[in-house]
Amino acid sequence: MADVNLLNFDRDSLNAWLGALGEKPFRARQVLRWIHHRGADDFEAMSDVARSLREKLGATACIRAAPVLRRGCSADGTRKWLLDVGQGEAVEAVYIPEPDRATLCISTQAGCAVNCRFCATGRQGFSRNLTTAEIIGQLWMAERELRASAVGPVGREGGSAAAGSPSRVISNVVLMGMGEPLQNYDAVLPALRLMLDDDAYGLSRRRVTVSTSGMVPMIDKLARDCPVALAVSLHAANDALRNELVPLNRKYPLAELLAACKRYLRHAPRDFITFEYIMLAGINDSDKQARELLRRVEGLACKLNLIPFNSFPGSDFRRSDAQRVRDFAAITTEGGIVTTVRRTRGEDIDAACGQLAGSVRDRTDVAARRASIPLAPISA
Ligand code: SAH
Ligand code: SF4
């Protein structure tokens, strides 16, 4: 039975698995390159791999990402895939092209257990962890599809660092889709390693960002294992408010979270933490709260990314108006923190955290809901 999915393996585990088949370690390099450089899903195409190994692989293994249920393409070039992860569950990946980079936002869980008040994914509850194959499979599939649809490689900056690899369409990856990546650490870590591996995606560690709502022990683990860029979803500068918005704060309060951020930077010298801060009208967006935030992060190398709230059916918050966001940003900038405001992208295809899959996931009538998703169809 061809049931070992090679997308689950990073270099070390592929080495070990091939070793158990009696193969030499250099085979792992060849196979990795076929899969992740060339996007192969067919062992017969692996022309420089010995025929005997191709036959063994064909009999025991497969290369399989989650099937695409739907594709969306926004007028601004943003693309979105809705992926079937079985049992009526769907997750999403979003591609965001910009002049100097092209970012893929990927999911790590179906649903999420953290249950942030403002988050459509959180509202769905937790269904299950994605496997490494389902996580890296989003990048594998998006590269294949974008290349096939003749999306060119990104400019100067963006090309892959991997020697001998084909030009990459995707220059940056962010784990900011559905789910809390650090609550699925064991599957996320091999996927991160593949993103950085020159024989796979060859991205520099600053072009891969893990976003977390604040899993303190796992922040420390990530620092030791694979210190990629870290984004922390802060959203409030005191425990009383953060406890309400991000329930995980009750377990790991702000002082502990900020201490973990400081420790992280020891493993990632010359880096900074990106604090994400969703702007909720009348909740966390006052001048006073901007100043409180400044005091809280004093002495920590960080940037601040203000995120306009994306409302969804049943959400009980409102987006801060543009002037409020500018005034808030003026205070934090004045206080010395580089502050950016996230541009909203792909709004015509609901390309915000958890929104599309949220509208699909309904155990009672999945098919009917799927049929009603307002997406402009595109070809792969
Ligand atoms: N679980 C991780 C990563 C996924 S969420 C985390 O929370 O960091 C990615 C980002 O989207 C987080 O900063 C999250 O706060 C934000 N987000 C969630 N719901 C949102 C909404 N309705 N509007 C705008 N941003 C949202
Ligand atoms: Fe989970 Fe992140 Fe959504 Fe919070 S914001 S519920 S941690 S996906």
Side-chain angles (χ1 to χ4, degrees):
M1 261 278 288
D3 57 0
V4 176
N5 191 350
L6 298 193
L7 288 179
N8 273 314
F9 291 147
D10 62 8
R11 174 190 299 273
D12 286 352
S13 49
L14 185 59
N15 259 330
W17 185 76
L18 287 171
L21 289 182
E23 297 291 335
K24 300 264 185 316
F26 73 88
R27 295 287 180 208
R29 182 163 186 256
Q30 277 182 320
V31 173
L32 273 183
R33 286 179 161 227
W34 275 105
I35 299 173
H36 299 287
H37 283 185
R38 318 269 293 250
D41 61 356
D42 171 9
F43 299 114
E44 272 317 299
M46 300 183 176
S47 50
D48 60 354
V49 173
R51 167 156 298 280
S52 59
L53 176 56
R54 292 204 310 254
E55 278 167 9
K56 257 191 251 176
L57 291 174
T60 52
C62 63
I63 301 162
R64 193 167 48 220
V68 179
L69 281 172
R70 255 180 192 256
R71 299 176 175 84
C73 188
S74 164
D76 65 12
T78 303
R79 293 188 187 211
K80 179 157 179 159
W81 293 266
L82 185 68
L83 306 165
D84 185 355
V85 292
Q87 296 181 319
E89 304 289 345
V91 300
E92 59 205 4
V94 181
Y95 165 76
I96 307 155
E98 289 171 281
D100 63 339
R101 67 172 76 181
T103 304
L104 188 73
C105 175
I106 65 178
S107 296
T108 56
Q109 298 181 311
C112 181
V114 178
N115 198 17
C116 299
R117 285 269 303 279
F118 48 80
C119 175
T121 306
R123 285 290 185 89
Q124 296 172 36
F126 174 70
S127 295
R128 72 166 173 88
N129 282 326
L130 300 190
T131 62
T132 298
E134 288 166 331
I135 296 169
I136 202 68
Q138 295 168 60
L139 179 54
W140 179 82
M141 173 280 300
E143 271 283 347
R144 265 166 68 109
E145 289 208 0
L146 291 165
R147 273 192 242 169
S149 67
V151 172
V154 281
R156 302 165 281 120
E157 292 248 292
S160 168
S165 74
S167 311
R168 292 284 176 207
V169 176
I170 292 156
S171 64
N172 294 60
V173 179
V174 296
L175 279 62
M176 288 187 190
M178 299 172 72
E180 168 49 55
L182 298 188
Q183 287 189 345
N184 184 15
Y185 192 82
D186 291 348
V188 163
L189 183 62
L192 292 175
R193 290 193 162 133
L194 284 167
M195 290 173 205
L196 304 193
D197 193 321
D198 276 353
D199 290 320
Y201 297 90
L203 298 170
S204 80
R205 64 178 187 81
R206 289 191 177 84
R207 288 179 177 274
V208 175
T209 301
V210 167
S211 174
T212 180
S213 56
M215 284 295 294
V216 166
M218 294 299 157
I219 291 175
D220 286 321
K221 214 161 165 359
L222 186 67
R224 290 192 295 271
D225 292 340
C226 193
V228 293
L230 187 67
V232 172
S233 293
L234 210 56
H235 310 316
N238 64 65
D239 285 319
L241 180 56
R242 198 164 188 274
N243 284 344
E244 292 305 311
L245 296 177
V246 184
L248 190 65
N249 194 73
R250 294 179 202 151
K251 193 156 182 197
Y252 304 113
L254 273 169
E256 285 181 34
L257 175 56
L258 295 169
C261 291
K262 280 203 174 125
R263 290 194 296 275
Y264 195 85
L265 290 175
R266 283 190 220 138
H267 292 262
R270 293 182 287 112
D271 277 17
F272 52 86
I273 305 288
T274 301
F275 288 120
E276 294 162 281
Y277 196 100
I278 191 166
M279 293 296 281
L280 303 168
I283 304 287
N284 66 352
D285 64 347
S286 71
D287 289 356
K288 186 164 168 266
Q289 284 159 319
R291 286 190 287 271
E292 188 179 20
L293 177 60
L294 277 176
R295 282 196 299 279
R296 240 17 248 236
V297 301
E298 212 184 321
L300 217 159
C302 66
K303 293 187 182 176
L304 180 63
N305 190 213
L306 301 178
I307 312 174
F309 170 62
N310 276 302
S311 65
F312 53 90
S315 65
D316 39 20
F317 295 108
R318 278 183 309 111
R319 182 186 283 194
S320 310
D321 67 40
Q323 188 56 48
R324 182 86 298 273
V325 177
R326 279 196 291 274
D327 291 348
F328 193 98
I331 293 173
T332 52
T333 305
E334 178 71 14
I337 302 184
V338 173
T339 304
T340 49
V341 179
R342 184 174 297 172
R343 278 198 299 144
T344 48
R345 296 286 303 259
E347 281 192 296
D348 50 335
I349 55 167
D350 272 358
C353 178
Q355 289 188 23
L356 178 55
S359 74
V360 167
R361 186 174 170 278
D362 179 346
R363 288 204 172 89
T364 57
D365 193 2
V366 176
R369 290 282 205 110
R370 269 176 203 159
S372 70
I373 301 168
L375 284 181
I378 55 163
S379 54

